[in-house]
Amino acid sequence: SRDEVPFGSALAGAASAGSASLTRSLPDPSTAGFAANNLGGQFAAWWAAEQGGAQAPPRHTAAQAPAASLGLSARASELEAENSGLRDRVRALDRRVAEQEELLARTPAQAVRRLHGEVAALEAKVLEGQVAASTAARKAELTLWSDLEVSRHEAGALRRTLEAKDREVERYKRELEAII
């Protein structure tokens, strides 16, 4: 069948017959065999033949079509994911290029003003960080001072309790000596 002819051999025959027969020798893209014959490999073989190489892709039969179709769909989903990532990367690079072009289009005075603005923004950010750190340090200091005062008060209360207990022990000793 026409779908079983490898693309490279069709191309080789077409190349010897001239460019008009080249388009007639290509497989019909609407057929199932076209997808089963590894379209990527066919394109690569055609490109290699155009560039002077002569690598013909392997022949695929209709029985191999379901397995090849599954492989192609898996490969297609992998390529779609990769394509999406590459598109995101291109968008990011396009934004970056646009920013760089905008910067290059500015006069030196505009660039200096922009840099002054960026420096001011960075200084404000650093100042905010310092204020936050200072506030946190002050809160910690106040907490420690209040904890110290509480500890001192507790130590004083315990000391007074201990002195009261010592006086009571001394009184009991005296009473015990008086009894003995």
Side-chain angles (χ1 to χ4, degrees):
S1 125
R2 181 177 171 184
D3 293 326
E4 293 179 358
V5 175
F7 185 72
S9 63
L11 181 64
S16 64
S19 64
S21 64
L22 175 63
T23 56
R24 286 187 305 237
S25 301
L26 296 176
D28 183 10
S30 64
T31 64
F34 184 77
N37 280 335
N38 186 4
L39 180 59
Q42 291 177 352
F43 178 77
W46 171 79
W47 184 253
E50 283 293 310
Q51 300 301 317
Q55 291 181 340
R59 292 179 175 235
H60 295 287
T61 64
Q64 294 171 324
S69 176
L70 291 176
L72 286 176
S73 64
R75 180 69 177 142
S77 64
E78 290 173 8
L79 290 174
E80 286 174 11
E82 183 179 347
N83 190 16
S84 175
L86 290 174
R87 286 182 191 272
D88 292 341
R89 187 170 176 207
V90 165
R91 281 188 211 105
L93 289 173
D94 284 343
R95 283 191 302 270
R96 190 169 170 199
V97 165
E99 290 172 2
Q100 294 298 322
E101 287 175 349
E102 180 183 332
L103 291 176
L104 288 174
R106 293 181 180 174
T107 64
Q110 290 173 327
V112 168
R113 281 194 298 271
R114 181 189 59 82
L115 290 174
H116 280 296
E118 289 180 8
V119 167
L122 288 173
E123 286 174 347
K125 193 180 237 183
V126 167
L127 183 62
E128 287 175 11
Q130 287 175 341
V131 166
S134 174
T135 302
R138 183 68 181 147
K139 284 181 181 178
E141 183 182 7
L142 290 174
T143 302
L144 289 173
W145 276 111
S146 66
D147 288 348
L148 180 62
E149 287 300 316
V150 167
S151 296
R152 284 181 180 168
H153 178 72
E154 288 176 357
L158 290 173
R159 196 174 298 118
R160 286 188 294 276
T161 304
L162 181 61
E163 289 171 359
K165 294 288 182 182
D166 283 343
R167 284 192 300 269
E168 194 175 322
V169 167
E170 287 299 320
R171 186 175 55 101
Y172 286 142
K173 280 184 185 178
R174 282 192 301 267
E175 286 179 7
L176 188 60
E177 286 177 4
I179 294 176
I180 298 184

